[in-house]
Amino acid sequence: LNDNPSHYKITLFGTVKSPKINFDPPFLMLMPVPLDMKTETAINIIPQDYLRQSRIQVELPEPELEDGDRIYPFTVQFPEGENIVLSADGTNKELICRISFTSSKPVSFLGNIYFIDEEEN
């Protein structure tokens, strides 16, 4: 620099962290209820290592009945919004998700609910 032939070498070290989501509780079991009655529970979604805001989308299972019909008994609500937000201290705020189930036909099944961010993780 400034006609000085010296060379400067800078070495950088870093760690790449992929964003991830944890759940509390990690498994969901809804209690059996009579037909057309709602059962509901809340889970905490704990995002980690998100460096920018992201919106959570949900894919709900569509159980198939014995007669081949598909039903859509699940609903999901985010009372405080579904955006993952980076707080001032660099952490991500937890989200509350309310999951409910109502069916007019008898059904019992084991399935997955998928929570997907804007990067499709």
Side-chain angles (χ1 to χ4, degrees), residues 90-101:
T91 61
N92 299 122
K93 183 181 174 189
E94 290 185 13
L95 303 173
I96 297 172
C97 179
R98 299 198 67 76
I99 301 171
S100 61
F101 176 92

Side-chain angles (χ1 to χ4, degrees), residues 5-56:
S6 300
H7 295 284
Y8 296 92
K9 181 178 178 183
I10 297 175
T11 304
L12 301 174
F13 294 95
T15 303
V16 176
K17 293 184 177 182
S18 296
K20 62 182 175 180
I21 298 174
N22 292 313
F23 300 92
D24 182 30
F27 299 99
L28 177 66
M29 183 183 297
L30 297 171
M31 299 306 295
V33 293
L35 296 178
D36 292 321
M37 295 293 293
K38 185 193 307 189
T39 182
E40 184 176 62
T41 193
I43 61 170
N44 290 321
I45 299 174
I46 307 162
Q48 294 178 322
D49 300 323
Y50 279 84
L51 301 177
R52 63 178 177 261
Q53 181 172 311
S54 187
R55 182 181 216 83
I56 297 291

Side-chain angles (χ1 to χ4, degrees), residues 101-115:
F101 176 92
T102 306
S103 178
S104 60
K105 297 182 179 181
V107 62
S108 177
F109 77 103
L110 177 65
N112 294 312
I113 297 175
Y114 295 98
F115 293 84

